[in-house]
Amino acid sequence: MLRFAPSPTGDMHIGNLKVALLNYIVAKQQNEKFIIRIEDTDKKRNIEGKDKEILEILKIFDIEYDNVLYQSDNLKFHQQFASHLLMERKAFACFCPEELLEKKREEAKKNKIAYRYDGTCEKLSDEEVLNNEKPFTIRIKKPKEPISFKDEIKGELTFLPDDIDSFVILRVDKTPTYNFACAIDDMLNDISFVIRGEDHISNTPKQILIRKYLGYDKEIKYAHLPIILNKEGKKMSKREKASSVKWLLKEGFLPQAIANYLILLGNKTPKEIFTLKEAIEWFNIKNLSKTSAKFDIDKLRFINREHIKMLDSLELSKELGYFSKEIGDLAKLYTEEASTLNEIKEKIDKIFSAKNPPLEFKENFDKIVKAVKEAPYFEDFNEFKNHISKETNLKGKNLFKPLRIALTGAKHGPNLSDIYKHIKNYLGEIVK
Ligand code: GLU
């Protein structure tokens, strides 16, 4: 079983979408089930409706799953397993007040050393614990030995006991911390392979430790994906618009193109332009780069153009608010100069809107419009052009510049003869 485990705490980031795509691909390849686990245990950070939005985005990207689970539904199990670890003395109650811990954390920061729990409450006797009525957290005991695991991308990784530390598994309000809930749920959900972002790498030994203490010995495979960098080579933050899947979709990037780009990024693939279905045939996690790749919006724009060209023309036309195969073909022509659906729609809408010629062309423009309105139907652009030339007595750029504006509303664009092929049946609407 594989899983995608988003937190409903914000807009879906392209890094999360990449994680979802790769989990889906691997689940399909291995014929394993794939679940969505909404990690909603941090109530303060949850945003109402984000879970539904995430599921909608998965649908838009054709990422199918077998089930949706909510982590908070497992609260009872998280608490039971924490009590069990307490009984087994693999965890202990910690009464250290938050303010004191905060002070110690700050002190460590000041001295430029990594903060570690100092073990105060681990030393308390049973009596001291039982007689204490103060609120407490539950901390797991740090391991005695280092913990190693093999990452499918990064290779063998080892973490020292001090780096794992005696960390909190249940908060004062008896809700589980992220690491605890995640480790337990991966066990309860019978997960076989975890693919997630490398920001979770230091969590993995903690989650392995939790399950080891519980005696769960099924090995879970891990692959941590390098984070996606921005142009400057820094982590792409949530504040950068292009990091939001919703924003990219709103801008008119096709889901197929975004998926293509994210699978391609930092990967060795047999081709550059492909569909999700094709990627399932050849994707190999071993081909992913260990190092982070930069997000390049120009590359995404190129891939988007290629996917626009691959669309069914009638479907494309509908996406743009029209209903004709010809308009779809016309739109494909505009991939010469436009990359997103929004940019292309702007070009097409201009063709069908009232035109405002610059003053210098106004006179010739009016003559041309009149001639186009009165012209019979011409299949061929040259015949059409010759006819307009004869009727208006205009030639060369005196003809072409205003004619282009009359037909497209723009001064520049694809070849008029190519455009004409697709608009010859709509001239009446275009020069109305
Ligand atoms: N909820 C975590 C996140 O959104 C996912 C952790 C995981 O995949 O284990 O970053």
Side-chain angles (χ1 to χ4, degrees), residues 182-216:
C182 182
I184 298 295
D185 289 357
D186 283 340
M187 173 175 94
L188 295 178
N189 300 150
D190 193 21
I191 299 301
S192 50
F193 191 5
V194 170
I195 303 173
R196 60 183 173 190
E198 73 179 352
D199 44 332
H200 286 291
I201 239 175
S202 61
N203 291 324
T204 301
K206 297 185 178 184
Q207 296 174 12
I208 292 175
L209 175 73
I210 292 165
R211 289 189 297 262
K212 190 168 160 224
Y213 279 173
L214 289 170
Y216 185 75

Side-chain angles (χ1 to χ4, degrees), residues 159-333:
F159 294 80
L160 299 175
D162 271 350
D163 292 334
I164 296 169
D165 207 9
S166 298
F167 60 95
V168 175
I169 55 172
L170 217 59
R171 302 188 186 96
V172 171
D173 65 3
K174 302 297 163 268
T175 59
T177 55
Y178 155 69
N179 272 314
F180 195 60
C182 182
I184 298 295
D185 289 357
D186 283 340
M187 173 175 94
L188 295 178
N189 300 150
D190 193 21
I191 299 301
S192 50
F193 191 5
V194 170
I195 303 173
R196 60 183 173 190
E198 73 179 352
D199 44 332
H200 286 291
I201 239 175
S202 61
N203 291 324
T204 301
K206 297 185 178 184
Q207 296 174 12
I208 292 175
L209 175 73
I210 292 165
R211 289 189 297 262
K212 190 168 160 224
Y213 279 173
L214 289 170
Y216 185 75
D217 53 14
K218 170 169 170 163
E219 198 202 334
I220 298 181
K221 282 209 302 187
Y222 282 92
H224 291 90
L225 306 179
I227 52 167
I228 299 175
L229 304 176
N230 62 15
K231 260 210 321 268
E232 286 75 42
K234 300 220 176 72
K235 181 179 171 169
M236 205 160 168
S237 90
K238 290 205 171 128
R239 282 187 299 278
E240 293 176 65
K241 283 195 248 145
S243 75
S244 157
V245 178
K246 215 163 67 176
W247 184 84
L248 291 172
L249 290 170
K250 226 168 52 204
E251 282 298 292
F253 287 98
L254 296 174
Q256 305 87 296
I258 301 171
N260 182 158
Y261 179 64
L262 291 177
I263 296 166
L264 183 71
L265 191 60
N267 194 359
K268 284 202 275 303
T269 59
K271 46 193 198 155
E272 195 166 51
I273 304 297
F274 49 82
T275 62
L276 184 52
K277 261 213 183 93
E278 287 174 287
I280 294 170
E281 287 166 26
W282 45 248
F283 178 80
N284 185 347
I285 208 148
K286 297 266 188 295
N287 287 338
L288 291 183
S289 157
K290 285 188 182 40
T291 50
S292 301
K294 284 185 190 171
F295 181 83
D296 177 358
I297 192 124
D298 291 328
K299 183 78 186 218
L300 174 58
R301 289 169 67 83
F302 159 72
I303 293 177
N304 205 49
R305 293 195 292 274
E306 295 305 308
H307 278 272
I308 287 175
K309 289 185 213 159
M310 281 154 59
L311 284 180
D312 172 79
S313 293
L314 183 59
E315 287 307 311
L316 172 57
S317 141
K318 285 191 213 159
E319 289 280 347
L320 300 169
Y322 295 84
F323 196 89
S324 122
K325 189 176 157 304
E326 283 303 335
I327 303 295
D329 288 336
L330 180 63
K332 288 182 184 179
L333 199 57

